[in-house]
């Protein structure tokens, strides 16, 4: 009998986190699921830790290291479930997560994307809980009126807190494998779905973004990564002002990342597509600052994070 959920977990060198992540899955109140773990060429003890679990619902597939998008797509191809849920190997689900997603699936069968609220975890004494534009802060679930407008301050769809019916992925397509980790590979898919289908959301927090496990990416790493170009949405953004503003704010982020890395060509690519009326004044100032000043600001942000003072490049730029 096919499960309701197929849970896709890409795994690459997460020996310190994968046990807790898997335990959070097995502790779900909703138990009709399979777990497909794609070991994407790990060189640590991640695979050994997964093999220590004896639950028959867990399937581990080991491959060469090809990147997170290919790992997720590989898992989707193996999936038997009606709904595909995504979880990164260093994040965490509260016991209500799958139950909440299933309730959304039942209540809003027209939805192409199912999402719940989540929290940023730095320590037990430092937890940030997002709120979203034009949505109640708590005790609400429903179809989001304007997905892109509601995602201006915090991302409404975060990978470890979303699920997609398999039939939707078969129609829309899977993750774009030309986009590398942390360069918009997930956002690209959520945009493609939200353009074509309603998005169902619950304000109930059911997932945790583990900020203590994030790997630091240097300025030079930007030049080694393939970012979402966003130009595939040019036609749709002409007809949807909220989408245009949403994409422009991403263009600001990507432009600044490339300026920090000294990549003037790609900085110019993103900068030239931005409608400046969509940018708050501080974003305009940041875009004009010399790279050495941006680097100092970026370092200050990291220092704040290391001292449990929340500073996020995405949200600080997006908040107007």
């Amino acid at each position: 009998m096919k499960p309701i959920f197929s849970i896709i977990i890409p795994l690459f060198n997460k020996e310190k986190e994968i046990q807790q992540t898997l335990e959070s899955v097995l502790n779900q109140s909703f138990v009709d699921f399979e777990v497909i773990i794609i070991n994407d060429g790990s060189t640590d003890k991640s695979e050994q830790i997964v093999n220590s679990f004896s639950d028959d619902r867990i399937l581990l597939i080991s491959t060469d290291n090809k990147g997170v998008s290919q790992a997720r797509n590989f898992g989707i191809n193996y999936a038997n479930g009606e709904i595909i849920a995504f979880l990164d190997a260093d994040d965490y689900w509260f016991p209500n997560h799958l139950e909440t997603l299933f309730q959304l699936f039942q209540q809003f069968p027209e939805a192409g994307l199912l999402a719940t609220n989540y929290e940023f975890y730095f320590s037990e004494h430092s937890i940030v809980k997002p709120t979203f534009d034009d949505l109640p802060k708590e005790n609400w679930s429903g179809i989001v009126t304007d997905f892109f407008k509601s995602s201006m301050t915090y991302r409404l769809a975060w990978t470890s807190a979303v699920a997609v019916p398999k039939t939707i992925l078969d129609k829309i397509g899977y993750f774009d494998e030309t986009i590398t980790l942390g360069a918009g590979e997930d956002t690209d898919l959520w945009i493609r779905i939200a353009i074509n289908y309603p998005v169902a959301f619950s304000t109930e927090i059911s997932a945790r973004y583990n900020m203590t496990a994030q790997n630091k990416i240097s300025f030079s790493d930007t030049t080694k990564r393939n970012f979402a170009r966003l130009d595939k949405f040019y036609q749709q953004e002409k007809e949807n002002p909220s989408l245009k503003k949403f994409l422009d704010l991403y263009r600001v982020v990507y432009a600044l990342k490339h300026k920090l890395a000294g990549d003037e060509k790609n900085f110019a690519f993103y900068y030239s597509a931005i409608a400046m009326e969509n940018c708050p004044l501080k974003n305009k100032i940041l875009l004009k600052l010399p790279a050495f000043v941006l680097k100092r600001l970026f370092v200050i942000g990291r220092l704040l994070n290391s001292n449990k003072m929340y500073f996020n490049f995405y949200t600080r730029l997006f908040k107007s």
Side-chain angles (χ1 to χ4, degrees):
M1 187 174 179
K2 293 184 177 181
I4 296 296
F5 283 98
S6 291
I7 302 163
I8 309 299
I9 303 178
L11 176 63
F12 178 71
N13 290 350
K14 293 294 182 181
E15 64 180 9
K16 295 181 179 179
E17 296 88 15
I18 186 59
Q19 180 166 336
Q20 185 181 48
T21 297
L22 266 181
E23 287 174 349
S24 79
V25 172
L26 299 179
N27 287 331
Q28 290 297 297
S29 59
F30 189 96
V31 298
D32 190 2
F33 60 79
E34 64 178 2
V35 186
I36 303 173
I37 301 171
I38 309 302
N39 178 24
D40 189 32
S42 293
T43 57
D44 63 0
K45 296 180 181 179
S46 294
E47 184 173 1
Q48 179 180 335
I49 293 170
V50 172
N51 283 328
S52 70
F53 287 83
S54 59
D55 197 297
D56 291 338
R57 293 171 295 179
I58 298 175
L59 172 64
L60 174 65
I61 303 171
S62 292
T63 67
D64 294 334
N65 180 250
K66 296 180 179 179
V68 67
S69 292
Q70 286 183 297
R72 288 181 182 138
N73 288 346
F74 198 82
I76 295 169
N77 283 320
Y78 266 86
N80 296 304
E82 188 174 1
I83 310 168
I84 308 298
F86 300 100
L87 177 61
D88 286 348
D90 54 9
D91 291 324
Y92 178 90
W93 284 348
F94 296 107
N96 63 323
H97 182 67
L98 289 181
E99 185 72 45
T100 303
L101 288 172
F102 185 65
Q103 290 173 1
L104 289 174
F105 177 71
Q106 288 187 308
Q107 294 170 4
F108 309 103
E110 72 275 24
L113 183 64
L114 314 168
T116 70
N117 202 357
Y118 54 93
E119 64 183 26
F120 295 99
Y121 177 86
F122 294 90
S123 72
E124 289 298 332
H125 305 290
S126 182
I127 298 174
V128 176
K129 299 180 179 181
T131 57
F132 306 93
D133 298 348
D134 286 352
L135 291 183
K137 291 185 178 180
E138 56 186 17
N139 300 323
W140 181 87
S141 63
I143 296 296
V144 179
T145 302
D146 189 332
F147 171 82
F148 301 108
K149 184 178 181 181
S150 293
S151 299
M152 294 297 182
T153 303
Y154 290 95
R155 288 171 285 190
L156 192 78
W158 166 57
T159 306
S160 289
V162 304
V164 183
K166 181 65 160 51
T167 55
I168 300 297
L169 289 170
D170 290 337
K171 292 176 183 177
I172 291 294
Y174 299 175
F175 290 92
D176 186 338
E177 295 181 3
T178 67
I179 306 172
T180 50
L181 172 65
E185 81 287 345
D186 48 359
T187 302
D188 170 83
L189 179 55
W190 314 146
I191 292 172
R192 283 188 275 133
I193 296 174
I195 286 173
N196 292 282
Y197 296 94
V199 176
F201 183 76
S202 170
T203 57
E204 184 173 0
I205 291 175
S206 65
R208 170 175 285 176
Y209 192 166
N210 183 11
M211 301 299 290
T212 65
Q214 302 309 299
N215 295 324
K216 293 181 179 179
I217 298 175
S218 70
F219 305 132
S220 60
D221 287 335
T222 296
T223 60
K224 302 175 184 177
R225 299 155 70 203
N226 295 320
F227 282 74
R229 304 293 282 177
L230 305 177
D231 50 354
K232 69 175 71 173
F233 304 114
Y234 277 164
Q235 189 57 46
Q236 291 95 333
E237 66 183 305
K238 289 179 182 178
E239 303 165 2
N240 186 331
S242 292
L243 173 60
K244 170 62 176 170
K245 185 173 183 180
F246 178 83
L247 292 175
D248 280 351
L249 292 175
Y250 264 98
R251 289 180 178 119
V252 170
V253 174
Y254 295 165
L256 290 172
K257 285 179 180 291
H258 284 94
K259 177 178 270 194
L260 283 165
D263 185 346
E264 290 297 327
K265 180 179 178 181
N266 278 305
F267 168 78
F269 171 82
Y270 291 108
Y271 182 81
S272 64
I274 299 169
M276 286 300 158
E277 62 268 22
N278 286 334
C279 294
L281 177 60
K282 62 184 175 184
N283 291 14
K284 296 176 184 177
I285 294 172
L286 288 171
L287 287 166
K288 295 293 185 182
L289 288 175
F292 76 91
V293 176
L294 284 176
K295 288 181 180 180
R296 290 180 181 177
L297 292 174
F298 193 82
V299 169
I300 290 171
R302 281 184 173 172
L303 289 173
L304 290 174
N305 282 343
S306 67
N307 287 286
K308 314 304 181 188
M309 297 173 64
Y310 180 65
F311 184 92
N312 182 273
F313 201 56
Y314 174 93
T315 55
R316 295 302 180 189
L317 283 174
F318 279 39
K319 282 189 104 171
S320 57

